[in-house]
Amino acid sequence: MIAYFDTSALIPLIIEEPDTERCGRVWDAAEHVTSVRLIYAEARAALAQAARLGRMAADDLAGAIEELDRLYDQLDLAEVDDDLVRRAGELAQLHALRGYDAVHLAAAERVQNGTTVMVAGDGDLLAAAEVLGMAIARTHGQGG
């Protein structure tokens, strides 16, 4: 199985959340874990926001970034190129997705092989992945 992780599924591997265990099980069960290269910037922003909002101690941010680096190094990464961003634009329009979600979907579509599972918390992204024939693993939440 290829598990495509969006940022909402990667962050629980770094910060303890209700869906940490589920995300960890999917990560461990996957033959390949993949995402798009932009996940790093999006995850760093999420970690910094978590520290600002008190979801983790400010002193823990450096350790969280080290854990992000460790996980990021394990990901098979889809590159952002013109074809990917143009497809993401189409997917955003077709499925009413936010920009980053559309980029994640286009990248997951690129690696889709029949055993690809989209791992995310966003209901709109997961619904669009299902339309494209991917299995899904919902980590949390219900909508955009």
Side-chain angles (χ1 to χ4, degrees), residues 3 5-6 22 37-38 42 47 51 53 55 58 77 91 97 101 106 109 115 121 123 128 135 137 143-144:
F5 276 69
D6 88 332
R22 179 176 172 85
R37 190 166 296 279
L38 289 174
E42 197 176 21
L47 292 173
L53 296 176
R55 289 182 51 217
L77 295 167
L91 292 169
L97 296 173
D101 288 341
E109 183 181 50
T115 67

Side-chain angles (χ1 to χ4, degrees), residues 61-82:
L61 181 57
I65 292 168
E66 287 178 13
E67 181 63 9
L68 169 62
D69 288 343
R70 187 184 72 75
L71 294 171
Y72 181 77
D73 288 342
Q74 295 177 47
L75 289 167
D76 294 328
L77 295 167
E79 297 298 337
V80 178
D81 57 26
D82 193 60

